[in-house]
Structure formats: structure tokens, C-alpha cells
Amino acid sequence: MTELDKGKVYLVGAGPGDPKLITVRGLQCLKECDVVVYDRLASPRLLRYVKPGTERIYVGKLPDRHTMKQEEINQLLVDLALQGKVVTRLKGGDPTIFGRVGEEAELLYDNGIEFEIIPGITSAIAVPAYAGIPVTHRDFASSLSIITGHESPDKLDRSIHWDKVTNATGTLIFLMGVAKIGYIADQLIKHGKPPETPVALVRWGTRVEQRTVVGTLETIEGIVKAANFQPPAVIVVGEVVLQREKLKWYENKPLFGLRVLVTRARAQASELADQIETLGGEPCEFPVIETIEPSSPEAVEVLRDKLDLAEQYDWLMFTSVNGVNYFLSWLRKFRIDIRRFFGAKIAAVGPKTAAALAEHGLIAEVLPMKFYAEGLLEQLKPQLKAGERVLLPRGDLAREVLPMELKAMGLVPTEIDVYETVLAEQQDELALEWILEKEIHMITFTSSSTVTNLLELLKRKGVADPVALLAGIPIASIGPITTKTALEAGLVVTIEPEAATLDGLLQAIVDYQQSQLAEKAREEI
């Protein structure tokens, strides 16, 4: 094999958990690779940036497999590169700080494989920041030390010079030291730190599971045991911990602590996921549907024929953003000028659909008060006349309510399937693991097909009774049609907004979460 036949490996630090903390260079590597190798310390949301066809290899724990050993991961990277592939090894935090990147890079070097180490934001700095603790402060600390706390006490004593470390810097950061917190505190006191020195432990910082406990060197072991505080966590020792009461910005967000399953199609999921993230929640993207163009020659010919009758239509009625986008895409493919529809008024079922039209200079009539088919007809009834021809660019799974009602009113509807909704094939294994282990705190459904496809996909993954698996998880449905489908499937819907829009759904989720927190606070009084 020549050097040109070999691939390349990028050893990328993904940051501590929040997907937006990855570096620009790290994101570039992710977008350009042929294979991504990742574990549970790297956010699964980062996978949405990989190009279509990129192989995804999860090396964390699965229900039928324990975590892959480090030596196996090292060899895996070599094997993939020897196949001529460009590999991104996505690692949590910064790969050079207790990330074992040296072992991976060394084996790559021994096999003559080109590699790059892409630094990431280390948890030693980011995790305290998300807990409201700056690791330096002009009034409290002008230096810091990052120390491993993972070893046994005798190894700690050999690797750490306690007499030097204790007072060497203003702030001490211990990584992976929860189980040894008592020993660490005792050693720091023994070597000169005042017993009243503030200490904070931050678990799963920057993620939905983030939890923080605060005490002093003298009291922290008891606090950790009483709270049953578990790894992984960052330990912060020093006066900077006192800043937390004023600066704990992340934990004050309205959806903090909530992991939400987003089941929309991958192309549409980002909008909802980004808003959940902005509100402090953690979106878990698990797209169960995909939209594709009809591919059969017969279906394409029907589309061409119906669109070529552009001048005959009195109305264009759109019931989704997808309907708008695919309709315009077909016009481009067939080279049909939109101006040929000059005689048609335009109707949209909701504000998002109207906005998608407006982006192309197409303005819809007055929007309905209820954002589904029945509401659209109710609002437009005074403007509709018997004998008018209506074109309905929709998906293959669209409900028959609209064409049936239009016929009953004496109009002539023409339905065209401008797209098809199919079961999504590629899924993230970590997202599936979270569902199976009930680490999802809420599920969102934005259409009937997201309900039926999630249940079907879980069955295909070996879940005998998906409804039972999802029992007890609050379900947020975008509107009454989706709710009806969920109820008929045996699910219990907890949240349904007054307005069947994404904004309405998000507000309803925020209101529900705040009411739950208020109820919990009352119980604790």
C-alpha cells in the first residue's frame, strides 16, 4: 500500500457535552470525514453535521455490548485509515487532557498513518463556567492547576506532590475524583489549605444532567455522600466557588434539566432542536420520518400533467412547509413558470407555511385561526365558490379531510403528491440507547406520521411493546390531529398547545416544565 492509498485520522476534541462548544476546526473535520468514531462523552447532536453516507461507529456501551476497550479503539482507527478512509475520532473535552489521545496517535504513527490532533474545550474550564464558577477572578485567583483525581490514594500520593500542589495556585481543578473526594480534601487540609476553603463538585457539566453540590474542604465529603453524588464530575477548590450564587446562568434557564426527543424529519428537526437548546433543554434528535420525491415514472408524469394545467386553477392550497418546497422544486424541474398560476389565489394552513411561501414572494390569503385543514376551510369559506378548481400540493400521507370538504362545497380539488413520507433508515445508536434506558424526559410529536413511525421503528429495533416502553414519559403533541393518532396508538398525551405551531408547542412545554418545578418546590416545603 502506498502513502496515497492510506487515509487520515483527525483526533478531535468535541468539548464537554454542549454540542455548540466544538471548535470551528473540529466541526470542519466532522463535515468532511468518511467515518466518525464517537462515544457517549461526545454529543450525538454533532452527528447531524456529517455528510450523507458517512459511516458512524459508536464505541460506547450498547445493550448487547460493553464499552469497547481502548486498545480496540486504537486498532479500529488504524484499520479504517488503512482502508483509505478519512476518519474523525470524536472525543469528549480536550483529547490531550486525560483523553488518552497519546495512545491512539502513537499507534497511528507506528503504522505510518497521517493524523492531526484538534484541541477541544476542556471540561476543567467549561464545566465550572456552566455552573457559574469562573476558574480565575482578579479578586480570588490568578492561576489554576488541573489534576487527575482518578487514581487510588497510594497512586495519587506518588503522582501528586501534595505539599507543592496545595498552595501552588489559586484554583485547584480535580478531574475524575468524586470517589476520592474525602481523601483529596484531607490531603489539602493536611498540607495547608484552610478547612473552610470553598469546594464545588459539578456532575455532567454543560449537559442536561448537570448537578452541582457546594461545601468546604471540611464538609464536602459528607455532602457528597448524603446527596449520593456520582461520577463523572469536576471538582473545583478555591474562593472562585463563591461566585456561583450570582453567576449560575445555565441552571436558571426554563428548560434546564429536560432531555427532549425530537422525532421530526432530519431536515426539519434543527429548528425545534435549536429552540429547545436555547431554552436550556437538551434536544435528542431521533428523526423517524424522511421526505423524498416520488420516484416512479408514472407518479412523475402525473405531476407534470397536473402542474402543466397551471392556468386552470383558481386556488393553490398548501398544508405544510414541505408542500411548498417540493411544489416549487417540481416547477423548477419541469421548467414551469410560477407566473402561469396568475389566476390562482393562495392559501396556507399556518404561519410557517405562509412564511415559506413569502420567502419566494408568494403571499397567502388571511391565515386560519386553527392551523389545520378544518380551520383553513372555516376561514376561507366566504371566499370559496362552487365550481372553482383547487390544486392541493401535498404529501402521500395527507389526510382526506380537505379534498372531501372541498368537493362537498362544490369545488373541484386536484391532489398531487409532491413528496412521500417514509420511515427514516439511519438512526443514532446513543439516542436509541437513551430511549431504551428511559433517559428521555419528554417526547415531541409534530405529525401523525412521527407517532406511527416511532412505534414502528422501535419494533424493528426489537422492542416488543413500544407503547409500554414509552409509558410514563410526558408526550407533547403539536395539535389535535397528532394527538388523536397518539391516543389511538395507546399513548397518553400530556401536552397540547392551543396553537398548533412549533412556537405554541415550545411555550406549552415551558409552561408544563415550570408548573412541574413549582409543584416539586411546594412538596419540598
Side-chain angles (χ1 to χ4, degrees):
M1 175 178 288
T2 67
E3 290 300 316
L4 292 177
D5 294 326
K6 294 180 182 178
K8 182 173 181 178
V9 177
Y10 295 98
L11 303 163
V12 176
D18 184 334
K20 292 185 177 178
L21 293 181
I22 193 171
T23 64
V24 173
R25 177 61 173 146
L27 192 59
Q28 182 184 28
C29 295
L30 199 57
K31 290 178 177 179
E32 296 176 356
C33 67
D34 302 314
V35 187
V36 57
V37 178
Y38 67 104
D39 53 40
R40 71 178 301 141
L41 292 178
S43 171
R45 288 202 68 211
L46 290 170
L47 298 179
R48 66 177 177 169
Y49 294 108
V50 302
K51 63 189 178 186
T54 299
E55 185 180 358
R56 307 174 184 195
I57 300 178
Y58 178 54
V59 294
K61 184 179 179 181
L62 288 173
D64 60 347
R65 189 195 74 204
H66 293 295
T67 305
M68 188 178 287
K69 295 178 180 178
Q70 184 62 50
E71 294 76 13
E72 296 172 331
I73 296 173
N74 300 347
Q75 189 60 50
L76 173 65
L77 299 178
V78 170
D79 294 342
L80 291 169
L82 289 176
Q83 295 170 25
K85 296 178 179 179
V86 176
V87 183
T88 290
R89 167 67 170 118
L90 206 57
K91 303 171 72 70
D94 178 275
T96 67
I97 299 181
F98 309 127
R100 305 188 73 171
V101 73
E103 298 170 46
E104 295 176 356
E106 187 174 1
L107 192 60
L108 293 169
Y109 173 82
D110 291 343
N111 284 270
I113 296 167
E114 185 181 0
F115 64 88
E116 290 185 23
I117 299 175
I118 313 300
I121 298 177
T122 174
S123 60
I125 296 172
V127 167
Y130 268 58
I133 303 171
V135 293
T136 64
H137 189 286
R138 66 179 299 175
D139 295 331
F140 302 120
S142 57
S143 58
L144 71 148
S145 299
I146 301 175
I147 309 155
T148 179
H150 190 51
E151 308 290 356
S152 60
D154 60 320
K155 287 186 178 179
L156 281 177
D157 289 343
R158 289 199 300 270
S159 60
I160 299 174
H161 300 287
W162 292 105
D163 56 332
K164 295 181 174 63
V165 165
T166 300
N167 298 297
T169 58
T171 302
L172 303 179
I173 305 290
F174 290 88
L175 301 183
M176 305 171 290
V178 176
K180 313 296 187 304
I181 183 61
Y183 185 79
I184 291 170
D186 288 343
Q187 290 300 309
L188 293 176
I189 293 173
K190 178 181 177 180
H191 290 87
K193 278 285 187 189
E196 62 273 15
T197 302
V199 182
L201 277 75
V202 188
R203 182 176 189 268
W204 283 121
T206 82
R207 294 167 50 119
V208 68
E209 298 95 342
Q210 178 173 309
R211 297 292 181 271
T212 306
V213 293
V214 177
T216 65
L217 287 175
E218 193 172 38
T219 63
I220 193 63
E221 182 180 16
I223 292 171
V224 167
K225 287 181 177 178
N228 192 28
F229 203 77
Q230 300 295 320
V234 173
I235 302 169
V236 187
V237 180
E239 297 299 316
V240 292
V241 172
L242 299 175
Q243 293 291 296
R244 171 174 159 75
E245 281 308 307
K246 292 182 179 180
L247 305 184
K248 54 180 180 180
W249 60 276
Y250 181 47
E251 295 167 30
N252 290 333
K253 289 195 170 190
L255 293 185
F256 170 73
L258 192 70
R259 178 179 287 129
V260 183
L261 192 73
V262 178
T263 56
R264 301 188 89 195
R266 195 174 302 278
Q268 296 177 305
S270 296
E271 180 184 0
L272 178 57
D274 286 344
Q275 291 189 63
I276 290 170
E277 196 170 57
T278 297
L279 293 168
E282 180 179 336
C284 176
E285 292 180 39
F286 195 71
V288 297
I289 60 173
E290 291 181 24
T291 57
I292 60 174
E293 292 183 347
S295 57
S296 73
E298 296 80 9
V300 172
E301 195 58 36
V302 168
L303 277 170
R304 186 192 299 273
D305 292 343
K306 299 300 183 184
L307 290 172
D308 204 32
L309 300 174
E311 294 83 1
Q312 298 185 16
Y313 298 113
D314 301 294
W315 284 93
L316 288 174
M317 292 189 181
F318 295 95
T319 56
S320 70
V321 172
N322 279 331
V324 173
N325 293 335
Y326 279 97
F327 168 76
L328 294 171
S329 174
W330 284 113
L331 292 187
R332 289 191 293 271
K333 287 179 186 294
F334 297 144
R335 298 187 63 79
I336 296 175
D337 195 321
I338 187 67
R339 288 174 293 184
R340 289 182 56 190
F341 291 88
F342 64 89
K345 294 186 279 294
I346 300 174
V349 79
K352 295 292 184 184
T353 305
L357 287 163
E359 287 179 6
H360 299 278
L362 304 173
I363 308 304
E365 301 292 310
V366 176
L367 290 176
M369 298 300 291
K370 299 175 181 177
F371 304 136
Y372 44 93
E374 292 85 342
L376 179 64
L377 285 175
E378 184 180 330
Q379 195 75 11
L380 289 177
K381 207 167 189 177
Q383 301 182 53
L384 300 176
K385 299 175 184 177
E388 289 184 321
R389 298 176 67 88
V390 182
L391 183 64
L392 299 169
R394 312 195 302 163
D396 63 322
L397 299 183
R399 296 187 304 136
E400 292 301 313
V401 171
L402 193 53
M404 288 176 58
E405 289 296 321
L406 287 170
K407 286 179 182 177
M409 295 166 63
L411 287 85
V412 183
T414 298
E415 301 173 69
I416 53 172
D417 293 340
V418 292
Y419 68 93
E420 296 175 354
T421 302
V422 298
L423 187 70
E425 293 297 331
Q426 192 174 45
Q427 296 296 341
D428 173 52
E429 294 292 348
L430 181 54
L432 177 62
E433 180 186 337
W434 279 340
I435 297 172
L436 297 176
E437 295 184 0
K438 297 198 173 184
E439 293 183 17
I440 296 295
H441 308 134
M442 184 174 291
I443 300 171
T444 59
F445 291 126
T446 54
S447 67
S448 291
S449 54
T450 59
V451 177
T452 55
N453 281 21
L454 176 62
L455 297 177
E456 175 61 26
L457 197 147
L458 290 175
K459 285 181 181 178
R460 293 190 183 187
K461 294 293 184 179
V463 178
D465 189 347
V467 173
L469 175 68
L470 303 180
I473 303 175
I475 290 175
S477 163
I478 197 168
I481 308 303
T482 303
T483 296
K484 183 173 182 290
T485 303
L487 294 176
E488 289 174 349
L491 298 170
V492 177
V493 175
T494 310
I495 300 166
E496 182 189 305
E498 292 184 13
T501 64
L502 283 186
D503 289 341
L505 181 64
L506 280 163
Q507 187 57 56
I509 291 173
V510 169
D511 292 343
Y512 172 81
Q513 184 70 356
Q514 295 304 302
S515 68
Q516 293 296 107
L517 292 174
E519 182 177 339
K520 183 178 179 181
R522 286 193 297 270
E523 291 175 355
E524 292 175 352
I525 295 176

